[in-house]
Amino acid sequence: MSVGITSSGNAPEVSSVRLLVTMAAAGAIAGLLIVLAYTSTAPIILANRMAAIDLAIYEVLPGIERYETLYLQDGTLTSTEPAKVDGHETEQVYAGFAADGRLAGFAIPAREPGFQDPIEILYGFDPRSDTTLGLTILSSRETPGLGDKIQDDAWRAQFKGAHAPVNATKRGAIPPGDVLMITGATISSRSVVAGINTSVAHWRPLLRAYLSEGPR
């Protein structure tokens, strides 16, 4: 009885159509699993990120009792959250208030390329005095033992009262308001400073306009 062996003695060739269908089905299933995994974990990831930002705001704006989220819309800052357009996130900052209602400053997120990956930070800023009020690192994958020193409390403490734009000093005596770079991690520490300075240049006129014109 014939069992489908070809005259050459080899097994029959697999149909190219069947192979393509199998590959397409496998790809579709894999894609579906990725989408399901993303949709199920995205809310959790977002909630964790917002919780981390909430804690960071109180860290970079010491002594505040509450804060308010401000959204950048049509070139001005407003406390009214605008509708999302095509999933695009609106730029935002956080205004921190002391117990007596006094505006203490603004917590501003920033992002800058580091030695390995982008470094995400949150810093406190007072546009009335052009000083930074604090700094925390939200996300960093810099080299352990070197670049990750940007997360050290002692180094970040330099940003309490530093004048913006922040001037980075490599070594020697540090002029008042300057920040000393980290030996062996110049790129990482300079990236943090660059992120703050770029962000300040963007936000300072908007924040000053907000203060002069009053809340919306």
Side-chain angles (χ1 to χ4, degrees), residues 125-146:
F125 179 64
D126 187 346
R128 297 163 296 192
S129 60
D130 275 344
T131 55
T132 56
L133 307 175
L135 168 72
T136 190
I137 309 297
L138 295 176
S139 176
S140 171
R141 295 183 181 179
E142 298 300 272
T143 307
L146 292 174

Side-chain angles (χ1 to χ4, degrees), residues 13-73:
E13 294 183 1
V14 178
S15 167
S16 59
V17 175
R18 180 183 298 178
L19 182 60
L20 289 174
V21 170
T22 301
M23 293 177 62
I29 293 173
L32 178 61
L33 291 175
I34 292 174
V35 170
L36 291 175
Y38 174 80
T39 54
S40 63
T41 59
I44 299 174
I45 294 173
L46 179 60
N48 290 338
R49 177 174 174 79
M50 292 309 300
I53 290 177
D54 181 79
L55 292 174
I57 291 171
Y58 288 95
E59 181 179 351
V60 301
L61 296 176
I64 66 169
E65 184 177 79
R66 65 179 183 88
Y67 68 87
E68 182 178 88
T69 304
L70 302 176
Y71 304 90
L72 180 59
Q73 186 175 21

